[in-house]
Amino acid sequence: IVRERRSRRIAGRIIAHSTAHARELMDEYALPSMPTIIPFGVDFPDRKQPPYFPGDRPRFVVVGTPDRRKGFDRLRPLIVAYGEQFGPCQLTIISAPQAEAQQAFGPLDGLPATVEVLWKQGLTREELFTEYAQATALLHVARYESFGIPLIEAAAMGTPVLATPTGIAEDLLESPLEECLLRGSQPIAWAAALHQTWLDRDSMSRAIKKRYEEAFTRTRMVEHYLEVLEGWEKKG
C-alpha cells in the first residue's frame, strides 16, 4: 500500500472517471493535484429510439445490484411516500431475480394499492434501452457508486435521472439539473422530486439529453483521452 501511494504521488498524471472518484484518490493517496477527469462514454443502441408515452401514471425504473450499497433498502419508503402523497405509480426493478433480490434487501410487499412493482431480469441491451426510454425517470438511490453506467445510459435516451451524489451523478446533474441530486434518506423529498419529474418530463428530458451529448458519448470520451494524452506528450 505504501509503495502504491508513493507511485501515485510520483506519477502526477492520473485519470479518474468522475469528480467523486478523483476526490477519493486525492484523499487516499495524498496526491499533489486533482486527477484529470474523463467520464466513461455510452453509445445509443443501433436502432430507432422508442417513443415515450406518459400514460395515466409515472413509470420509474431502477437498475442495479440488489444490495444495501446500492440503496435497494431505500426503495420501499421512497415508493410508499410517492403512492401516499401523489397516487398511482409503477416501479420497475431491473436486477437479480425477485426472490434473490428480496432476500438481499427485504420485501416490497404490503405497499399502497396505488403502487405497482414489476421485476425484470436478463434483458438484452436493446430491451434495457427501451425500458429507459419508456420510463418517466431512472432512480439511483445508492450509498456508494464507483461510476454508475445506468445513469449515462438513461441520459442517452433522454430519460431524467434522480440520484444520490455518488459516482458520476454530480458531474451529470449539473445546472439546470442539480435539483435532481437528492439525499437517500429523505423519501418525502424524493417523492416530491419524482412527481415534479412526472409533471415536467419533457423539459428535463431535453436538459439531460443535452448533458449527455456534451460530455458522455463514446466519441467524446475518446476525443478527451486523445486531447489529454497529446497534452501530456507535449509537456514531456
Side-chain angles (χ1 to χ4, degrees):
I1 295 176
V2 172
R3 185 182 299 124
E4 182 176 356
R5 287 179 177 174
R6 183 171 181 272
S7 297
R8 289 180 183 271
R9 287 198 299 269
I10 292 173
R13 294 176 175 178
I14 298 173
I15 294 176
H17 50 241
S18 70
T19 299
H21 183 217
R23 285 198 299 261
E24 289 176 6
L25 291 174
M26 288 280 289
D27 294 342
E28 179 69 21
Y29 299 105
L31 301 178
S33 60
M34 190 77 162
T36 299
I37 299 169
I38 303 179
F40 297 137
V42 171
D43 283 338
F44 283 112
D46 297 326
R47 63 183 182 84
K48 185 178 180 181
Q49 178 174 338
Y52 169 74
F53 296 110
D56 62 352
R57 65 185 62 194
R59 301 184 300 275
F60 307 122
V61 64
V62 172
V63 179
T65 307
D67 59 30
R68 191 175 184 279
R69 186 183 65 164
K70 298 291 186 179
F72 268 54
D73 57 305
R74 293 170 163 173
L75 292 177
R76 180 186 174 86
L78 185 159
I79 205 67
V80 166
Y82 188 94
E84 291 177 345
Q85 290 186 68
F86 302 108
C89 67
Q90 182 185 90
L91 176 66
T92 299
I93 301 174
I94 302 173
S95 185
Q98 180 176 353
E100 178 183 332
Q102 290 196 351
Q103 184 178 8
F105 71 87
L108 273 173
D109 54 11
L111 297 173
T114 52
V115 176
E116 179 185 15
V117 178
L118 303 177
W119 296 82
K120 297 189 178 183
Q121 65 184 85
L123 302 186
T124 65
R125 183 169 183 267
E126 289 74 18
E127 289 170 339
L128 176 60
F129 274 75
T130 296
E131 291 290 337
Y132 288 132
Q134 295 177 347
T136 304
L138 172 76
L139 310 187
H140 189 75
V141 292
R143 291 179 173 85
Y144 173 81
E145 181 62 69
S146 59
F147 183 76
I149 285 290
L151 280 68
I152 308 303
E153 291 175 336
M157 304 304 286
T159 302
V161 172
L162 279 75
T164 52
T166 58
I168 197 60
E170 291 178 87
D171 300 78
L172 175 65
L173 300 175
E174 293 182 349
S175 179
L177 295 166
E178 65 269 18
E179 292 184 1
C180 295
L181 281 173
L182 300 159
R183 297 295 172 185
S185 57
Q186 299 176 344
I188 294 176
W190 274 87
L194 289 172
H195 191 60
Q196 188 59 44
T197 304
W198 166 241
L199 298 175
D200 199 23
R201 207 258 188 193
D202 288 346
S203 64
M204 294 179 69
S205 176
R206 290 192 295 271
I208 201 161
K209 187 68 174 290
K210 185 173 183 289
R211 283 291 298 131
Y212 162 75
E213 292 171 346
E214 289 171 344
F216 300 99
T217 66
R218 190 69 58 85
T219 298
R220 182 57 189 135
M221 178 183 71
V222 172
E223 290 173 347
H224 200 168
Y225 266 107
L226 294 177
E227 291 165 1
V228 169
L229 295 177
E230 182 180 4
W232 285 353
E233 183 179 16
K234 288 180 180 178
K235 291 179 180 179

